[in-house]
Amino acid sequence: MPRHLIPNKSGVHRAACISLYRALLRQGPKLHLDSRQLFSFNHIVRENFSKHVKICSPRDIRNALGLGYETLKALVSSNGAQLSRLSCALTHFQELRSSNTPSAAAPQTSAIVKKKVPHQLIIKARPNTPSVLSRPFLSLSGPRHVPKLVSANGIPFLRFKKPQSPYLSRIIRDKVKQHSRRFDHLYDLEHQIVLAKDEDHWDKILDETCGLRRETENGDDVRFTSWATVVQHARAIVSWKLREETLNNAETARKMYSIIEQEKTLAAREQDQGKKAAE
């Protein structure tokens, strides 16, 4: 199958799937579930998306996306009775998952084999390649081609020709994956704050009822950071990285747009010089 017909290689298809994935995960906190049921709900969504991430059949893709949109519609318009049934189903799923989890002492039957990327498939940049932001070049050995400013999931780049460089494709793919990982991590930290607050509440109960306090050798109380503070600090770091990434992409896009305007000016000037030389 040609590359441009493979669904999971299409940017439009990937954007639609990611939007559906995030919309389903956002419905979790709105269902008024406890922490274990919310974890089960998120696990079901992620497991189903991971299971269907490589399907290429149009019929299977249509069925999978249809099921996802029907589930999202049902969650948005669910009433109290449906939420109660969903809560019972998630509790039952959690019990089945706990009973099917192998114990730590059980022998491992199979080892996980990591795929090794062949050396010839690792795409590297050419040595001494100038940065794209160092353009425009005042003199060229051939005709000047004005690039186009393209955005790939919010990542700007200049396209000079098709097909584009495999090295450029790898950079864009790595940046998109990194942004997706940071967003998923931020979403996980949002749910971990609830668990961290429960841990802080439990520590407070132990301190008030049992008098459990941490003391140094001198008998002074140990001041330790709360669970919620640690999670909030981690969330602030991830949010700062995402915000910094967005600002860097915007600044890069402005520089690339300036390069395009300069390339257009030079191209028009060279075209006029060529006409005068021909006369």
Side-chain angles (χ1 to χ4, degrees), residues 13-268:
H13 175 74
R14 289 172 59 86
C17 294
I18 292 174
S19 299
L20 176 59
Y21 172 75
R22 292 175 177 174
L24 287 171
L25 288 180
R26 290 192 186 101
Q27 293 301 317
K30 301 178 182 179
L31 299 178
H32 305 290
L33 306 173
D34 58 32
S35 57
R36 293 175 61 85
Q37 292 172 347
L38 183 60
F39 177 82
S40 300
F41 175 80
N42 294 337
H43 176 75
I44 292 173
V45 174
R46 288 168 178 159
E47 187 178 33
N48 279 275
F49 271 83
S50 299
K51 182 170 62 177
H52 297 92
V53 70
K54 293 185 179 181
I55 59 176
C56 296
S57 171
R59 183 182 62 183
D60 295 340
I61 293 175
R62 183 171 57 253
N63 293 337
L65 290 178
L67 178 61
Y69 284 115
E70 289 178 3
T71 304
L72 179 61
K73 182 179 179 180
L75 291 175
V76 172
S77 60
S78 57
N79 53 29
Q82 292 174 337
L83 291 177
S84 178
R85 288 195 296 269
L86 176 62
S87 177
C88 295
L90 291 174
T91 303
H92 180 63
F93 170 79
Q94 185 68 29
E95 293 175 354
L96 290 177
R97 188 168 176 268
S98 300
S99 61
N100 293 332
T101 303
S103 60
Q108 296 183 354
T109 56
S110 61
I112 299 177
V113 180
K114 294 184 178 179
K115 286 186 177 181
K116 293 185 177 181
V117 181
H119 180 70
Q120 62 270 18
L121 296 181
I122 299 177
I123 304 173
K124 297 182 178 180
R126 295 180 179 178
N128 301 325
T129 302
S131 172
V132 69
L133 297 179
S134 62
R135 294 174 179 269
F137 301 136
L138 297 179
S139 61
L140 298 175
S141 58
R144 184 180 299 274
H145 298 283
V146 179
K148 295 181 179 180
L149 180 59
V150 185
S151 175
N153 289 339
I155 300 174
F157 68 96
L158 292 178
R159 173 173 286 168
F160 290 88
K161 62 180 181 178
K162 288 186 177 182
Q164 67 186 19
S165 167
Y167 176 69
L168 176 60
S169 299
R170 183 183 67 81
I171 292 178
I172 296 173
R173 186 168 57 250
D174 291 344
K175 288 187 175 181
V176 170
K177 289 181 178 179
Q178 183 186 52
H179 179 79
S180 180
R181 285 195 301 268
R182 286 175 176 173
F183 185 86
D184 292 341
H185 188 200
L186 181 64
Y187 191 82
D188 291 337
L189 290 173
E190 293 287 345
H191 299 295
Q192 291 179 13
I193 289 180
V194 180
L195 299 178
K197 290 181 178 178
D198 292 340
E199 291 291 340
D200 290 335
H201 183 61
W202 176 246
D203 288 345
K204 183 179 179 181
I205 292 175
L206 291 178
D207 189 17
E208 293 177 353
T209 58
C210 303
L212 297 180
R213 295 182 301 175
R214 299 183 182 180
E215 297 181 353
T216 61
E217 296 179 356
N218 299 329
D220 299 329
D221 293 341
V222 176
R223 297 183 179 273
F224 56 92
T225 308
S226 64
W227 297 84
T229 303
V230 175
V231 179
Q232 290 171 357
H233 179 67
R235 183 182 61 175
I237 293 176
V238 178
S239 300
W240 175 81
K241 289 182 179 179
L242 289 172
R243 186 165 54 251
E244 190 73 13
E245 179 182 339
T246 302
L247 294 177
N248 290 338
N249 289 337
E251 181 64 24
T252 303
R254 283 193 291 267
K255 292 180 180 179
M256 289 181 175
Y257 182 78
S258 176
I259 291 174
I260 292 176
E261 294 299 320
Q262 296 177 38
E263 290 279 2
K264 287 181 180 179
T265 303
L266 292 175

